[in-house]
Amino acid sequence: MTQSKNRQPLLLDFEKPLVELENRIEQIRNLAQESSDGIDVSEQIHQLEERAAQLRQEIFRSLSPAQRLQLARHPRRPSTLDYIQAISDEWVELHGDRGGADDPALVGGVGSLAGRPVVMLGHQKGRDTKDNVARNFGMASPGGYRKAMRLMEHANRFGMPILTFIDTPGAWAGLEAEHQGQGEAIAYNLREMFRLDVPIICTVIGEGGSGGALGIGVGDRLMMLEHAVYTVATPEACAAILWKDAAKAPQAAEALKITAWDLKNFGILDLLVPEPIGAAHSQPVEAAEILKAALIEELEILCEMTDQQRRDLRYQKFRRIGVFLDPSD
């Protein structure tokens, strides 16, 4: 009962029928164990479990963009540090931009993936309100992007591949961030990431928002977890701008084409990484194993290329984005 109460505030609306069915299965199982009549309910439980598995697949294979956005923002969804600790053999976090700042909203360090030294970095959200305030809800400051660039230059100097994990609603838009040069810091990263010699794999693990995502999003491969989103602006902001009504965010989410499936169809996404049925927050260990396998496979391919081949691949990848054909031509 305590567990159910703890889970209830984190339940999304479309998850409730599934949880109700799972609770019913658990109640029947508990009643059978407590009963002294020796009633066999194994067949009934088996049927309900099959129905629950079917319902889980039906729900998570027919989600709307707005529902996928809810999953991307789920407070229990694995974060950058969760994935790094799960997939790395060892990892040491490094701090500071060497300019006087150390942004907790963007973390990074040196680690090892399948025995290969790598630099891993990404946005870090909090688990609760207090942690989110400390992490600024994953919205990095100019110091965060300068720290990221320092770590990437370190990786380039020592020939270590770079793995970035994107999970932010956007860069911090506060007055202080503007005073510190937020736009310049992101623009500098965009330019410099194109010239790096080492392999770069960027993975959207949750919410990829605006320039805040792009600041660590230039790479040879762009991967997205199945229920992650990537967008030029949050649906709420888009709805407020276009219709003066943030309540129309679901409509905006549909129009913006923010899901991994949409971006795969547009050719922007290189690899869609599947999540366990029920999404990453329901089975985080399995989600990390799937992501690790995808990263290792892509890294093996990229490491076989020359530095120039990777730079050319990176350049051509982003040159193709936004190209379209006029039907009247």
Side-chain angles (χ1 to χ4, degrees):
M1 181 64 73
T2 303
Q3 183 180 2
S4 177
K5 286 182 179 180
N6 289 338
R7 289 180 59 188
Q8 194 66 25
L10 300 179
L11 275 182
L12 303 177
D13 289 340
F14 57 85
E15 292 180 303
K16 289 180 180 178
L18 176 61
V19 173
E20 290 172 358
L21 183 55
E22 290 174 341
N23 288 341
R24 182 181 171 192
I25 294 172
E26 190 64 25
Q27 289 174 358
I28 293 174
R29 185 179 285 113
N30 291 338
L31 287 173
Q33 291 175 351
E34 294 171 1
S35 174
S36 59
D37 298 334
I39 301 175
D40 184 9
V41 295
S42 58
E43 182 62 28
Q44 183 181 2
I45 291 176
H46 178 69
Q47 291 176 355
L48 289 174
E49 286 177 337
E50 286 187 339
R51 172 57 187 151
Q54 181 183 358
L55 181 60
R56 186 179 293 107
Q57 291 186 353
E58 291 174 356
I59 289 173
F60 286 92
R61 288 180 179 172
S62 60
L63 296 173
S64 69
Q67 289 171 328
R68 292 188 190 276
L69 179 62
Q70 287 182 288
L71 287 176
R73 293 172 172 172
H74 198 288
R76 282 185 174 170
R77 191 170 179 86
S79 67
T80 291
L81 287 176
D82 292 329
Y83 281 120
I84 288 176
Q85 291 165 3
I87 70 177
S88 61
D89 306 322
E90 55 182 336
W91 187 69
V92 177
E93 185 175 356
L94 302 177
H95 296 273
D97 66 347
R98 298 301 183 265
D102 181 34
D103 185 4
L106 206 155
V107 299
V110 178
S112 174
L113 177 66
R116 188 193 302 272
V118 295
V119 164
M120 294 182 276
L121 57 98
H123 304 99
Q124 180 63 33
K125 293 181 177 179
R127 280 280 175 240
D128 51 34
T129 302
K130 182 179 179 181
D131 195 18
N132 260 320
V133 170
R135 298 281 185 183
N136 200 29
F137 296 85
M139 296 184 291
S141 67
Y145 290 105
R146 290 172 182 137
K147 174 170 69 172
M149 195 66 242
R150 179 180 75 82
L151 295 178
M152 288 188 278
E153 288 173 344
H154 177 86
N156 195 59
R157 186 177 304 115
F158 292 99
M160 293 184 287
I162 299 168
L163 308 178
T164 75
F165 301 94
I166 298 168
D167 187 15
T168 179
W172 182 33
L175 185 61
E176 186 178 352
E178 295 303 317
H179 284 165
Q180 295 171 0
Q182 183 72 286
E184 184 274 339
I186 293 174
Y188 183 84
N189 281 21
L190 293 176
R191 185 188 71 186
E192 293 302 299
M193 289 183 77
F194 275 105
R195 71 164 178 82
L196 298 178
D197 296 325
V198 296
I200 307 174
I201 301 178
C202 307
T203 307
V204 185
I205 60 173
E207 186 178 8
S210 192
L214 288 175
I216 58 170
V218 176
D220 310 310
R221 292 283 192 273
L222 174 62
M223 309 197 314
M224 284 180 67
L225 295 185
E226 182 180 359
H227 299 305
V229 298
Y230 204 12
T231 175
V232 68
T234 64
E236 293 85 356
C238 178
I241 293 169
L242 294 181
W243 300 296
K244 312 299 182 185
D245 184 3
K248 292 187 177 181
Q251 183 178 342
E254 184 73 36
L256 284 168
K257 305 300 181 185
I258 64 177
T259 71
W261 302 99
D262 292 325
L263 296 175
K264 182 67 174 175
N265 292 334
F266 285 136
I268 296 173
L269 181 63
D270 297 303
L271 181 65
L272 190 156
V273 182
E275 296 185 29
I277 297 296
H281 68 273
S282 66
Q283 301 181 63
V285 174
E286 184 178 345
E289 290 173 351
I290 295 172
L291 177 58
K292 180 179 181 179
L295 287 169
I296 293 173
E297 182 177 353
E298 293 300 315
L299 205 52
E300 289 292 336
I301 297 172
L302 292 173
C303 286
E304 293 177 358
M305 299 180 182
T306 66
D307 297 349
Q308 187 60 49
Q309 285 176 328
R310 283 192 295 267
R311 287 196 300 269
D312 291 343
L313 174 69
R314 206 175 301 156
Y315 176 79
Q316 292 300 330
K317 170 181 173 55
F318 282 86
R319 288 292 293 175
R320 287 193 300 268
I321 294 177
V323 174
F324 65 93
L325 299 177
D326 189 340
S328 62
D329 291 344

